[in-house]
Amino acid sequence: MHHEVLDFASSLTDVWRLLNEKERELLRKNAVVQHFKKNQPIYCEGDQPVDLMCLLRGKVKIFKEGVGGRSQIIRMIKPIQYFAYRAYFAQEKYLTAAAAFEPSTVCLIPMQVVMEILKNNFSLCQFFIKQLSVDLGIADERTVNLTQKHIRGRLAESLVFLIDSYGLEEDSTINIYLAREDLANLSNMTTSNAIRTLSNFVTEKVIALDGRKIKIIDEEKLRKISKLG
Amino acid sequence: MHHEVLDFASSLTDVWRLLNEKERELLRKNAVVQHFKKNQPIYCEGDQPVDLMCLLRGKVKIFKEGVGGRSQIIRMIKPIQYFAYRAYFAQEKYLTAAAAFEPSTVCLIPMQVVMEILKNNFSLCQFFIKQLSVDLGIADERTVNLTQKHIRGRLAESLVFLIDSYGLEEDSTINIYLAREDLANLSNMTTSNAIRTLSNFVTEKVIALDGRKIKIIDEEKLRKISKLG
DNA sequence: GTACTTTTGTGCTATATAACATAGCTGTAT
DNA sequence: ATACAGCTATGTTATATAGCACAAAAGTAC
């Protein structure tokens, strides 16, 4: 079972292509696959980072508890995406927490093993440098967007982000079902305001709602609202 | 002159220690030193990144223009700190802009040359991986702080940040003189509110003001205000 | 099926912060 | 010295958003 999943991953992820057979074998030997139930924590703020993680199946949120118990979703992970490595590289404890949004499968690889491979594999170094650089750019953008845009802009932006990350089904519903509260935590607003603003979008025929299903009616308008704040 | 400055840098920066003599020579041959006047732009949002920059003297702000013309200071650079490399590594254009806060000297090294060295120097790879990881952590913290803390907490946090970055003189004044507007842009608030909150801090005997000189009277209390939001 | 908890929805109120207006202050150039 | 530009300071008003209360709906357990 363990190896099946990893072989599945290997056909998809770019990382696998950067390794030689010996390195791959080292990973296979040390990788562990773990399943997480819906809402189960994967790691917590303050934990010592040990493993590089790769999400094989499901959806994961990276979040931070703020001052007033309010939590802020920092980023979301989709399958065949690596995460949880920042803290180890920075030689810090985790500053964020991670939890499964839906039943998820994660592959864990000891960071020590990763470091061992990194030493002699510039391509893999490059992979992490690029990944970190992209994420830092996203974080910078996000800082400005979350602080300067108004509620409508922030919610629209979150919806656009979800579309871009998880895609739309044939009937134009976003391929992830979030509680209103999570949507609020993603957009830096209260749950009430997320609900209110969503129903405004329904009135304006930008989206349609059916429980947690969000159907995109006018994507262009949504992107416009997101952009103009 | 050019070489003097670089040698000065070499005695201080950790990067230099990671290089062998050949690599150092390569840098020396390709590095250019450039001076910037107060408030002069160093690079702009949308520019194509070309050089790795190292601040040798002065102070630099990295900022982003938000939706309403309001600008947000993302981070500040102090001497012997490297910057401007994120966009190149991410293969993007600059998402931020940089400007000299005070007369500054910057050393520019073509990223192409840096990449050439990186290929065979794992220590330098590690340096960038760590730097990016630390910065990403700071950005994540910042996102939550700027969105969830109240004005007093945000301003106190900025002051603490300035103390930690630039230090205090013997008489406890912060070693950087910012316009109220810059302090506001650092703390995500309007200039009026930065002024108001500053004078509240004076009333509460947390700081004392003399023009742009900020004297720290009660650092503990300041850190407490910053922490509690 | 009934009870119970959680989530969603809506109206009202409170409040933090932006926006605006205006005046005093500081430094600089002539 | 005078004029001018930019920064600092402060009071007032407007407004976006949080907070709270409560009801309806949906999901869950027994």
Side-chain angles (χ1 to χ4, degrees):
Chain A
M1 146 89 235
H2 173 149
H3 277 202
E4 284 167 61
V5 182
L6 264 184
D7 286 346
F8 164 68
S10 73
S11 65
L12 287 171
T13 178
D14 296 326
V15 166
W16 213 247
R17 266 188 262 142
L18 305 176
L19 306 178
N20 63 35
E21 200 42 55
K22 209 177 124 204
E23 292 165 336
R24 287 180 194 176
E25 189 47 40
L26 193 60
L27 278 201
R28 277 200 207 91
K29 243 184 14 214
N30 287 284
V32 172
V33 171
Q34 207 172 323
H35 296 277
F36 293 89
K37 285 181 246 175
K38 195 179 149 131
N39 292 323
Q40 195 182 339
I42 298 174
Y43 65 77
C44 298
E45 198 167 335
D47 283 0
Q48 195 71 44
V50 175
D51 295 306
L52 170 66
M53 305 189 188
C54 179
L55 182 64
L56 299 179
R57 196 179 51 86
K59 287 168 185 118
V60 166
K61 64 174 168 184
I62 310 292
F63 63 100
K64 238 176 117 51
E65 296 297 334
V67 273
R70 245 170 89 205
S71 93
Q72 173 72 48
I73 297 179
I74 303 282
R75 52 189 150 260
M76 309 252 314
I77 309 296
K78 55 186 167 187
I80 319 301
Q81 193 178 342
Y82 290 82
F83 66 103
Y85 50 82
R86 189 212 65 83
Y88 185 93
F89 283 139
Q91 299 177 289
E92 297 168 359
K93 309 215 159 170
Y94 283 122
L95 291 175
T96 54
F101 237 121
E102 43 183 77
S104 298
T105 308
V106 176
C107 173
L108 297 97
I109 301 155
M111 279 301 292
Q112 268 186 328
V113 172
V114 175
M115 285 304 278
E116 215 44 57
I117 295 177
L118 272 181
K119 271 184 200 158
N120 300 300
N121 188 326
F122 173 63
S123 300
L124 194 59
C125 283
Q126 245 185 329
F127 169 82
F128 281 112
I129 287 175
K130 174 156 186 189
Q131 205 54 55
L132 284 163
S133 296
V134 169
D135 283 348
L136 183 56
I138 292 171
D140 287 346
E141 282 285 329
R142 210 166 149 64
T143 298
V144 175
N145 287 337
L146 285 180
T147 54
Q148 301 204 351
K149 282 182 186 171
H150 282 182
I151 271 201
R152 288 167 58 82
R154 298 204 303 267
L155 185 65
E157 196 198 337
S158 294
L159 294 177
V160 167
F161 168 74
L162 292 174
I163 296 170
D164 293 342
S165 302
Y166 299 105
L168 294 175
E169 316 216 15
E170 310 89 69
D171 67 342
S172 294
T173 53
I174 299 181
N175 219 322
I176 183 174
Y177 299 154
L178 294 184
R180 302 289 190 263
E181 190 185 351
D182 285 317
L183 216 45
N185 290 342
L186 199 56
S187 316
N188 181 37
M189 63 186 65
T190 55
T191 307
S192 328
N193 277 328
I195 292 168
R196 236 185 290 269
T197 310
L198 271 183
S199 60
N200 287 343
F201 287 170
V202 172
T203 311
E204 296 165 37
K205 299 203 182 7
V206 179
I207 61 172
L209 290 174
D210 174 17
R212 292 189 181 180
K213 270 188 166 161
I214 300 174
K215 192 170 173 172
I216 305 299
I217 310 286
D218 190 343
E219 186 169 336
E220 202 186 333
K221 198 168 166 187
L222 190 68
R223 285 182 189 273
K224 207 189 233 167
I225 296 171
S226 159
K227 207 165 194 174
L228 300 180
Chain B
M1 144 90 235
H2 175 148
H3 276 200
E4 283 169 63
V5 181
L6 264 184
D7 286 344
F8 163 67
S10 71
S11 64
L12 288 170
T13 177
D14 296 327
V15 166
W16 212 247
R17 267 188 261 142
L18 306 174
L19 306 179
N20 63 36
E21 199 43 54
K22 210 176 123 203
E23 291 166 336
R24 289 180 192 175
E25 189 47 39
L26 193 60
L27 280 201
R28 278 200 206 92
K29 244 187 11 218
N30 287 285
V32 172
V33 171
Q34 208 172 320
H35 296 276
F36 293 89
K37 284 180 249 176
K38 195 177 151 137
N39 292 321
Q40 195 182 340
I42 296 174
Y43 64 77
C44 298
E45 199 167 336
D47 283 0
Q48 195 72 45
V50 176
D51 294 305
L52 169 66
M53 304 188 190
C54 178
L55 182 63
L56 300 181
R57 196 178 53 86
K59 288 166 185 123
V60 167
K61 64 175 169 184
I62 310 292
F63 62 101
K64 238 177 115 50
E65 296 297 333
V67 274
R70 241 169 90 205
S71 94
Q72 172 73 46
I73 296 179
I74 303 281
R75 51 187 150 262
M76 310 251 314
I77 310 295
K78 56 185 165 186
I80 318 302
Q81 193 178 344
Y82 289 81
F83 65 103
Y85 50 83
R86 189 210 66 83
Y88 186 93
F89 283 138
Q91 298 177 291
E92 297 168 358
K93 308 215 162 170
Y94 283 122
L95 291 175
T96 54
F101 236 122
E102 42 184 76
S104 298
T105 309
V106 176
C107 173
L108 297 98
I109 301 155
M111 279 302 289
Q112 268 186 328
V113 172
V114 175
M115 285 304 277
E116 215 46 54
I117 296 176
L118 272 182
K119 270 184 200 158
N120 300 302
N121 188 327
F122 172 62
S123 301
L124 195 59
C125 283
Q126 246 186 328
F127 169 82
F128 280 113
I129 287 176
K130 172 153 189 194
Q131 204 54 54
L132 284 163
S133 295
V134 169
D135 282 348
L136 183 55
I138 293 172
D140 287 347
E141 282 285 331
R142 209 166 150 65
T143 299
V144 175
N145 287 336
L146 285 180
T147 53
Q148 301 204 353
K149 281 183 187 170
H150 282 183
I151 271 200
R152 288 168 56 83
R154 299 203 304 270
L155 185 65
E157 197 198 338
S158 295
L159 294 179
V160 167
F161 168 74
L162 292 176
I163 295 170
D164 292 342
S165 303
Y166 298 106
L168 294 175
E169 314 216 17
E170 309 92 67
D171 67 341
S172 295
T173 53
I174 300 180
N175 219 323
I176 183 175
Y177 300 153
L178 295 184
R180 303 290 190 263
E181 189 185 352
D182 285 317
L183 216 44
N185 290 342
L186 198 58
S187 317
N188 182 36
M189 63 186 65
T190 55
T191 307
S192 324
N193 277 328
I195 291 169
R196 236 186 289 270
T197 309
L198 271 183
S199 59
N200 287 342
F201 287 170
V202 171
T203 310
E204 297 165 37
K205 299 206 181 3
V206 179
I207 60 171
L209 290 174
D210 174 17
R212 291 190 181 178
K213 269 188 170 163
I214 301 176
K215 192 170 173 173
I216 305 299
I217 308 286
D218 190 343
E219 187 168 337
E220 203 186 333
K221 198 167 167 190
L222 190 68
R223 285 183 189 273
K224 207 188 232 167
I225 297 172
S226 159
K227 209 165 194 173
L228 301 180

